[in-house]
């Protein structure tokens, strides 16, 4: 018979008190350290009224920052999605030498400081960098310009999709793809009709996290941006500028948009985990 | 080479390698070359400058402390989320990921607002003599925030997968609740706990966005290592920036190595 | 050390796991709790262990109310179905655990612990394995580690939850013998849960058959097999044929037969069900007046026993019969043969008038009388 956990085993009073204390301690920490900062964002954003809030959001510089953020994410996320799928396919469907090294390399951007992530592109493409003189000759500007923002964002968000897909596709194995091949499907048919349906929720999950990070990245982008208002300012950078100008209402108004994005991401993520948990099940127990 | 049943090996691996080469390896090589331009002596001078040493001490010290705190609190939160039922449990569970999802700049200004002398919490704490914003303590608070989810998310699945049998067996053999925890559960959770600790540490050492607002960035006092890089860049000291960058990268590599060794250690019990 | 289980009931949200269960366990006894899943046997075991508590009833050991004693202090050893070995500890550490967690005052010295663990490992034939981890052992070895661990604290009562459930068939049989010998040596009061009748009948001194939270029958393996007390026991243990019959004027009416039998005296008329074991059906190719006419549909020889399927048109039913393998060959049984079938023993449960359920209180074992027409050779 399957063991059934009794509804109300006789527990001592002392034990119930300990349980209550542990729960209280954990929840207080979550509320004080996590929820309070989130609440602060929205409260501060609306402190001076809805009018000021809306004005800050539709300010031309804010709009420019929002557009730039969307543009950067619109380039970086698809690039890393395609990369993630290709990397996962190579890593899970074939055996080759150096696989472990490749896996570590894919994970690497997670453990590099955002500032270092920006720094390496400055050293590569900046005026003093390897390709600096060559780029200058042809009047191509990568650093302190949009391409630099995109590159830095691509770097920091590179692992997200691959990280979700690799453990899942590893655990699924390649039986189904092999069956499709035996039944006469072409390579692309196999991928689109067999592989993709099996990994779609994990893929979406990875894209979601990738996008959240792409839109919210600060350190790496800050280093390569040069903070040119209206030109190379993404939303997080705009928040910083407004905050340093003591325009707190404005800073928090733009920040509230980012916080809202974070909440939507969390909500969607929780929904995916709840609804499609089994199909994401092989996720490695790692953060990002 | 054996014949491969599935197609796309060359395409997928080639694309993966080319992409990684361009996005990751080439820029990292640029960093290494730039730093080596200083020579060993120059590198040493840069790294032993008072500014860098102070920042290194602060970044690493605060990150270590934050990771320790996160290990303790993270274990507690994971335990409560897995073992107890209470209203809103799913919501609190989702909340754990907030630091992953909230952009660091947003977290930075929010924490600063809370802990500033006139802020929501600062207004209470400063009269008590606890100054958090614009001190090293502020750095610690921001690092706790950004590193918090790691321990919870590494310990949680392990805790969930532990059979109730194990604890019952310990009880039947006469162990107290405390003995069951310290001798049976804790050793089983330890590898995950250490992995989460290392991940939180790595994140905190490199963290920039959430820290710089609350830190106050007073040179030699509350300046973190990533900020030193930014300042050096602003002064066009590219080689110095590269040198500090290499040190940070080396730290990350060490932590990565530690994590992979930890994971191998865990497999000692599970596989043979 | 007598354990008295009095009127235990345990209810979960949607079903009764135990419904007024009473049982007493004598010192040194080897008791099997046998039943299908959901019968309450595991719940009863967990209550004995102190891992679950009844809603009503009492559990007394030598006059002491065990329900007031926590699992830690009950002096009960429990071997879990999946062993629940501590995977981060070596075999030695696993077995020593129960001794090492004792309060300092009662804790044996290091040397004593080492000595005791060594002896136990020898006893369970695992000497030399002390420094291995559980993941390095086979299933049977893990089971013995779990047993050694449970025995290390010298419990007064040993509980085993499906002790052989997770093992291969061959290891299972070997380990069963070994456990029986161990019990004969140690004489430790032992209760084990199983759904496998063979296991229960081979190992136990007494078998407790359970179904739907109730005890159906308690008896020696022989009693439980030879004299099942209820229809459930008949169907759950061994093979049996179930026949709808009627009792009329002191005879059993089944199909076209009106069978006179010893043991029917004073039985009221009415519907009943009769059970007959396959080995209690006798048959002959000759056409006789008493006995059902049947067609032998299928013969299947399994080693020393032949299993036969007999189609009986007048009963509208197929009965299963058994016969020694050699006997079957000598008689040259072949599918399609016509035979006459006579039951030798029948167990009859009259149907209760109001519910239509078999009434176990009016159970009768009857022996048909065929006189001259009785088949000359039984089996």
């Amino acid at each position: 018979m399957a063991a059934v956990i009794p509804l109300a085993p006789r527990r001592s009073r002392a034990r119930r008190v300990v349980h209550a204390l542990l729960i209280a301690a954990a929840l207080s920490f979550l509320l004080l350290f996590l929820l309070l900062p989130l609440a602060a964002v929205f409260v501060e954003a609306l402190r001076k009224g809805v009018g000021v809030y809306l004005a800050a959001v539709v300010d031309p510089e804010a709009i420019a920052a929002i557009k730039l953020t969307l543009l950067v994410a619109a380039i970086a996320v698809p690039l890393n999605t395609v990369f993630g799928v290709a990397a996962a396919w190579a890593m899970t469907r074939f055996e080759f030498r150096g696989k472990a090294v490749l896996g570590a390399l894919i994970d690497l951007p997670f453990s590099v400081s955002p500032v270092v992530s920006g720094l390496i592109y400055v050293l590569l493409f900046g005026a003093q960098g390897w390709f600096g003189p060559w780029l200058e000759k042809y009047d191509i500007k990568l650093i302190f310009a949009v391409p630099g923002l995109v590159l830095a964002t691509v770097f920091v968000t590179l692992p997200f999709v691959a990280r979700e897909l690799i453990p899942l596709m590893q655990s699924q194995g390649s039986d189904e793809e092999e069956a499709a091949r035996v039944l006469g499907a072409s390579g692309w048919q196999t991928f689109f009709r067999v592989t993709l349906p099996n990994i779609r929720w994990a893929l979406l999950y990875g894209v979601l996290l990738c996008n959240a990070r792409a839109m919210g990245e600060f350190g790496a982008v800050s280093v390569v941006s040069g903070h040119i208002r209206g030109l190379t300012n993404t939303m997080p950078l705009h928040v910083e500028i407004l905050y340093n100008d003591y325009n707190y209402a404005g800073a928090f108004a733009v920040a509230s948009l980012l916080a809202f994005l974070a909440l939507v991401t969390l909500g969607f993520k929780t929904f995916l985990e709840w609804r499609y948990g089994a199909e994401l099940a092989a996720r490695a127990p790692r953060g990002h | 080479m054996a014949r491969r049943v599935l197609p796309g090996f060359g395409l997928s691996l080639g694309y993966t390698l080319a992409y990684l080469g361009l996005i990751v390896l080439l820029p990292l090589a640029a960093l290494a070359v730039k730093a080596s331009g200083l020579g060993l002596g120059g590198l040493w001078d840069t790294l032993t400058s008072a500014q860098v040493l102070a920042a290194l001490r602060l970044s690493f010290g605060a990150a270590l402390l934050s990771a320790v705190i996160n290990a303790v609190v993270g274990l507690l939160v994971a335990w409560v989320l897995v073992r107890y039922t209470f209203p809103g449990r799913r919501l609190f569970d989702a909340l754990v990921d907030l630091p992953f999802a909230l952009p660091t700049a947003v977290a930075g200004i929010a924490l600063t607002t809370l802990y500033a002398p006139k802020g929501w919490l600062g207004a209470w704490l400063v009269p008590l003599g606890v100054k958090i914003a614009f001190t090293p303590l502020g750095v610690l608070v921001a690092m706790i925030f950004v590193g918090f989810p790691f321990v919870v998310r590494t310990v949680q699945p392990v805790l969930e997968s532990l059979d109730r049998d194990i604890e019952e067996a310990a009880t039947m053999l006469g162990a107290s609740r405390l003995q069951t925890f310290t001798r049976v559960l804790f050793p089983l959770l330890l590898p995950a706990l250490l992995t989460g600790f290392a991940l939180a540490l790595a994140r905190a050492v490199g963290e920039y966005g959430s820290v710089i607002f609350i830190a106050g960035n007073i040179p030699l006092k509350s300046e973190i290592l990533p900020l030193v890089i930014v300042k050096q860049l602003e002064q066009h000291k590219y080689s110095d920036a590269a040198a500090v960058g290499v040190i940070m990268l080396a730290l990350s590599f060490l932590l990565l190595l530690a994590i992979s060794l930890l994971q191998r250690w865990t497999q000692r019990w599970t596989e043979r | 050390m007598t354990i008295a289980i009095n009127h235990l009931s345990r209810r979960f949200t949607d079903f009764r796991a135990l419904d007024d269960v009473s049982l007493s366990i004598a010192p040194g006894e080897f008791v099997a709790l046998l039943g299908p899943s959901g019968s309450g046997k595991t719940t009863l075991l967990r209550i004995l262990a102190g891992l679950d508590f009844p809603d009503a009833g009492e559990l007394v050991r030598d006059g002491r109310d065990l329900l007031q004693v926590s699992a830690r202090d009950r002096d009960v050893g429990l071997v879990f179905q999946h062993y629940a070995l501590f995977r981060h500890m070596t075999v030695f550490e696993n077995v020593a655990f129960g001794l090492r967690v004792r309060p300092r005052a009662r804790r044996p010295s290091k040397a004593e612990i080492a000595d005791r663990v060594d002896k136990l490992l020898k006893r369970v034939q695992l000497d030399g394995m002390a420094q291995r981890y559980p993941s390095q052992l086979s299933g049977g070895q893990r089971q013995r580690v779990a047993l050694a661990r449970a025995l290390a604290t010298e419990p007064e009562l040993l509980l085993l939850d499906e002790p052989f459930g997770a093992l291969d068939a061959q290891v299972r049989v070997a380990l069963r013998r070994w456990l029986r010998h161990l019990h004969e040596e140690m004489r430790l009061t032992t209760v084990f849960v199983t759904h496998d009748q063979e296991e229960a009948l081979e190992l136990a001194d007494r078998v407790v058959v359970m179904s739907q939270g109730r005890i159906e029958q308690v008896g020696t393996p022989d009693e439980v097999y030879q004299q099942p007390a209820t229809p459930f026991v008949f169907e759950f243990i061994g093979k049996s044929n179930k026949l709808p019959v009627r009792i009329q004027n002191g005879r059993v009416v089944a199909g076209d037969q009106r069978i006179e039998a010893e043991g029917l005296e004073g039985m009221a008329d009415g519907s009943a069900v009769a059970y007959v074991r396959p080995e209690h059906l006798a048959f002959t190719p000759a056409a006789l007046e008493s006995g059902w006419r049947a067609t032998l549909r299928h013969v299947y020889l399994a080693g020393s026993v032949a299993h036969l399927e007999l189609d009986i048109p007048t009963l509208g039913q197929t009965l299963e019969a058994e016969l020694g393998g050699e006997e079957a060959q000598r008689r040259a049984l072949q599918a399609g043969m016509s035979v006459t079938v006579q039951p030798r023993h029948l167990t009859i449960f009259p149907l209760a008038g109001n519910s239509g359920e078999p009434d176990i209180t009016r159970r009768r074992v009857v022996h048909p009388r065929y006189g001259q027409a009785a088949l000359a050779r039984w089996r």
Side-chain angles (χ1 to χ4, degrees):
Chain A
M1 188 191 122
V4 180
I5 295 158
L7 283 179
R10 288 181 193 176
R11 282 208 178 112
S12 69
R13 198 194 181 88
R15 210 144 131 201
R16 275 205 305 269
V17 171
V18 170
H19 287 189
L21 282 177
L22 289 179
I23 294 175
L27 296 195
S28 323
F29 180 89
L30 289 177
L31 290 175
L32 197 69
F33 260 71
L34 301 188
L35 198 62
L36 200 59
L38 183 69
V41 173
F42 291 102
V43 171
E44 292 294 326
L46 293 167
R47 182 175 288 269
K48 292 195 177 157
V50 179
V52 175
Y53 178 81
L54 288 178
V57 170
V58 298
D59 175 81
E61 282 176 9
I63 296 284
I66 293 170
K67 279 185 182 161
L68 182 60
T69 298
L70 292 175
L71 175 70
V72 169
I75 300 170
V77 174
L79 278 178
N80 281 338
T81 304
V82 172
F83 165 75
V85 172
W89 183 266
M91 289 280 292
T92 62
R93 296 299 178 254
F94 307 106
E95 288 307 319
F96 51 89
R97 232 184 285 169
K99 203 166 167 177
V101 177
L102 186 62
L105 212 56
I106 292 173
D107 274 348
L108 183 66
F110 273 160
S111 32
V112 173
S113 169
V115 169
V116 175
S117 312
L119 171 70
I120 56 178
Y121 287 101
V122 173
L123 295 178
L124 196 60
F125 299 120
Q128 305 277 313
W130 276 10
F131 298 112
W134 184 82
L135 290 170
E136 209 164 345
K137 196 169 130 197
Y138 293 96
D139 200 23
I140 302 172
K141 234 173 138 40
L142 294 185
I143 298 307
F144 307 140
V146 175
L149 298 177
V150 173
L151 277 174
T153 305
V154 166
F155 181 90
V156 284
T157 59
L158 183 133
F160 280 100
V161 175
R163 248 296 28 106
E164 292 304 323
L165 294 186
I166 291 172
L168 178 70
M169 286 172 66
Q170 194 80 60
S171 73
Q172 283 178 347
S174 47
D175 291 359
E176 291 185 36
E177 278 100 353
E178 283 168 9
R181 288 294 276 172
V182 171
L183 292 169
S186 74
W188 289 112
Q189 280 175 326
T190 304
F191 175 75
F192 282 108
R193 294 179 186 226
V194 178
T195 310
L196 203 55
N198 278 336
I199 61 169
R200 59 189 161 178
W201 298 116
L203 186 65
L204 184 61
Y205 191 92
V207 167
L208 201 68
L209 298 181
C210 181
N211 179 63
R213 181 70 191 267
M215 291 193 173
E217 177 51 29
F218 177 73
V221 174
S222 165
V223 172
V224 296
S225 108
H227 302 88
I228 307 163
R229 291 194 188 201
L231 278 181
T232 60
N233 248 354
T234 61
M235 287 165 77
L237 298 178
H238 193 58
V239 168
E240 184 196 18
I241 288 181
L242 294 173
Y243 189 84
N244 287 343
D245 284 349
Y246 303 104
N247 181 356
Y248 294 140
F252 277 105
V254 179
S256 75
L257 297 180
L258 288 168
F260 181 71
L261 171 75
L263 285 181
V264 170
T265 305
L266 276 188
F268 209 30
K269 177 174 172 288
T270 307
F271 172 77
L272 282 180
E273 280 165 2
W274 165 71
R275 181 74 182 73
Y276 301 104
E279 289 169 64
L280 304 167
R283 253 177 28 244
R286 294 190 59 170
H288 24 74
Chain B
M1 190 181 287
R3 288 195 51 156
R4 305 181 190 277
V5 184
L6 294 174
F9 177 65
L11 180 67
S12 61
L13 189 62
Y15 182 76
T16 303
L17 290 177
Y19 195 87
L20 279 174
L22 282 175
I23 301 286
V24 179
L25 289 180
L26 183 68
L28 286 178
L31 176 73
V33 169
K34 192 77 188 176
S36 67
L38 276 176
L40 268 184
L43 202 63
W44 182 253
D45 287 344
T46 306
L47 297 180
T48 50
S49 72
Q51 187 190 23
V52 173
L53 275 185
L56 192 63
R57 204 173 302 132
L58 174 65
S59 274
F60 208 71
L64 206 59
L65 194 54
S66 78
V68 169
I69 292 171
N70 275 333
V72 175
V73 181
L75 180 61
L76 170 72
V77 170
W79 180 269
V80 166
L81 288 176
V82 172
R83 289 307 176 93
Y84 305 142
T85 47
F86 49 88
R89 192 171 60 101
R90 197 179 277 284
L91 218 58
F92 280 105
D93 190 58
L95 187 64
V96 169
D97 279 332
L98 184 72
F100 282 159
L102 196 68
T104 53
V106 178
I109 63 170
L111 290 172
T112 311
T113 303
L114 288 179
Y115 291 100
K118 287 186 182 157
W120 297 10
L121 297 172
W124 294 86
L125 292 171
V126 171
L128 296 173
V130 184
K131 283 171 83 172
I132 291 180
F134 317 126
T135 71
L137 216 51
V139 175
L140 179 68
V141 166
M143 284 177 171
I144 292 174
F145 180 86
V146 295
F148 176 70
F150 289 99
V151 172
V152 182
R153 291 303 183 226
T154 47
V155 169
Q156 216 175 3
V158 180
L159 200 51
E160 272 165 3
S161 73
L162 285 182
D163 271 326
R164 250 345 220 274
D165 282 12
I166 299 283
E167 282 159 79
E168 290 180 350
T171 307
M172 293 303 304
L173 292 166
S176 66
R177 284 297 292 167
L178 192 65
Q179 283 173 322
T180 304
F181 183 80
T182 55
R183 292 181 180 232
V184 177
L185 294 178
F186 189 74
L188 289 171
L189 295 175
L190 190 61
L193 190 66
L194 287 175
T195 303
F197 170 82
L199 288 168
L201 178 61
R203 174 73 198 262
V205 168
E207 180 55 24
Y208 177 69
S210 54
V211 177
I212 52 158
F213 293 97
I214 199 171
N217 307 325
I218 307 156
L220 302 179
K221 263 191 77 183
S222 62
E223 208 175 55
I224 54 166
L225 211 46
L227 186 69
V228 171
I229 296 182
V230 171
K231 285 196 167 166
Q232 284 165 334
L233 276 180
E234 280 168 1
Q235 296 160 20
H236 301 288
K237 291 186 189 160
Y238 291 102
S239 300
D240 290 350
V244 180
V246 163
I247 285 302
M248 296 202 62
L249 209 56
L251 274 178
S252 326
F253 279 138
L254 274 179
L255 285 171
L256 270 190
L257 190 70
I259 292 165
S260 74
L261 287 178
L262 271 173
Q263 275 160 358
R264 199 160 299 171
W265 183 47
T266 317
Q267 285 172 353
R268 186 177 58 130
W269 304 324
T270 48
E271 278 167 34
R272 267 289 299 187
Chain C
M1 201 225 45
T2 306
I3 295 171
I5 296 165
N6 297 328
H7 306 290
L8 285 188
S9 289
R10 178 75 175 103
R11 193 183 245 293
F12 293 112
T13 24
D14 47 0
F15 79 109
R16 268 169 206 271
L18 288 181
D19 186 4
D20 193 21
V21 165
S22 299
L23 180 69
S24 123
I25 299 166
E29 230 187 342
F30 202 170
V31 175
L33 303 179
L34 174 65
S37 65
S39 59
K41 58 191 193 300
T42 300
T43 306
L44 181 54
L45 193 83
R46 288 175 64 84
I47 289 176
L48 284 171
L51 296 174
D52 196 354
F53 292 88
D55 303 316
E58 48 175 22
L59 181 61
V60 180
R61 183 168 72 196
D62 294 336
R64 191 171 171 213
D65 180 5
L66 271 191
L67 294 178
Q68 297 305 319
V69 182
S70 77
R72 282 183 73 190
D73 306 320
R74 270 193 201 184
D75 285 333
V76 170
L78 172 58
V79 175
F80 288 78
Q81 184 176 3
H82 300 288
Y83 320 135
L85 295 177
F86 306 127
R87 65 170 186 267
H88 60 294
M89 295 183 196
T90 60
V91 167
F92 182 92
E93 290 167 329
N94 264 285
V95 177
F97 184 87
L99 299 172
R100 286 178 171 173
V101 295
R102 281 190 182 170
R104 200 172 294 273
R106 292 198 298 123
R107 193 186 309 156
S109 72
K110 271 198 172 148
E112 265 174 80
I113 291 178
D115 189 49
R116 237 152 105 179
V117 173
D118 280 346
K119 276 189 187 139
L120 270 168
L121 288 181
K122 272 206 192 81
R123 167 155 257 168
V124 300
Q125 298 164 8
L126 283 173
D127 33 342
M129 302 276 188
Q131 294 314 315
R132 302 235 187 144
Y133 283 98
S135 60
Q136 295 166 274
L137 302 178
S138 71
Q141 289 171 332
R142 284 180 209 181
Q143 215 259 4
R144 282 178 285 154
V145 175
L147 190 63
R149 186 176 71 173
L151 294 174
T153 53
E154 295 176 340
E156 293 193 36
L157 171 66
L158 179 65
L159 304 175
L160 306 141
D161 187 4
E162 297 278 2
F164 312 105
L167 298 172
D168 294 340
Q170 282 186 338
V171 184
R172 193 182 291 206
V173 172
L175 215 52
R176 214 146 76 188
R177 303 255 152 82
W178 176 83
L179 190 63
R180 179 79 233 181
H181 286 306
L182 192 74
H183 180 257
E184 277 160 11
E185 257 173 64
M186 300 181 59
R187 283 285 147 203
L188 177 62
T189 315
T190 305
V191 177
F192 74 103
V193 151
T194 181
H195 65 271
D196 182 340
Q197 45 166 309
E198 221 180 292
E199 226 166 83
L201 298 181
E202 180 180 334
L203 276 175
D205 300 326
R206 257 193 327 152
V207 178
V208 179
V209 186
M210 298 185 67
S211 162
Q212 297 184 334
R214 293 179 150 273
I215 291 180
E216 294 276 333
Q217 186 174 6
V218 181
T220 63
D222 195 51
E223 282 166 356
V224 169
Y225 187 84
Q226 300 294 348
Q227 303 156 39
T230 68
F232 174 83
V233 180
F234 247 115
E235 288 171 30
F236 190 69
I237 295 178
K239 289 182 179 168
S240 63
N241 295 295
K242 179 185 180 184
L243 311 172
V245 298
R246 252 171 339 102
I247 308 298
Q248 212 171 39
N249 302 327
R251 290 181 178 212
V252 181
V253 181
D256 61 349
Q257 296 294 307
R258 302 169 64 82
I259 306 165
E260 260 184 82
E262 266 172 54
L264 271 176
E265 299 76 15
M267 211 166 176
D269 287 0
S271 297
V273 283
Y275 285 88
V276 56
R277 295 273 189 214
E279 65 267 33
H280 293 158
L281 283 174
F283 50 92
T284 174
L288 299 179
E289 230 168 79
S290 39
W292 299 296
R293 287 303 289 171
T295 310
L296 181 57
R297 194 163 65 179
H298 183 68
V299 185
Y300 141 73
L301 200 64
S304 56
V305 183
H307 300 273
L308 290 78
E309 274 177 37
L310 301 164
D311 260 344
I312 303 182
T314 56
L315 275 178
Q317 212 174 338
T318 302
L319 298 189
E320 210 175 318
E322 264 175 30
L323 184 70
E326 279 176 35
E327 180 86 8
Q329 273 174 343
R330 197 167 54 238
R331 290 202 194 174
L333 291 175
Q334 273 177 359
M337 281 173 84
S338 279
V339 292
T340 303
V341 184
Q342 294 179 351
R344 194 180 183 194
H345 306 291
L346 287 166
T347 305
I348 293 175
F349 298 94
L351 298 185
N354 42 7
S355 66
E357 292 292 312
D359 181 351
I360 57 173
T361 60
R362 291 195 285 147
R363 162 182 172 276
R364 292 278 179 102
V365 180
V366 303
H367 310 282
R369 274 191 296 249
Y370 296 106
Q372 289 297 310
L375 294 176
R377 295 183 64 116
W378 299 106
R379 300 186 42 113

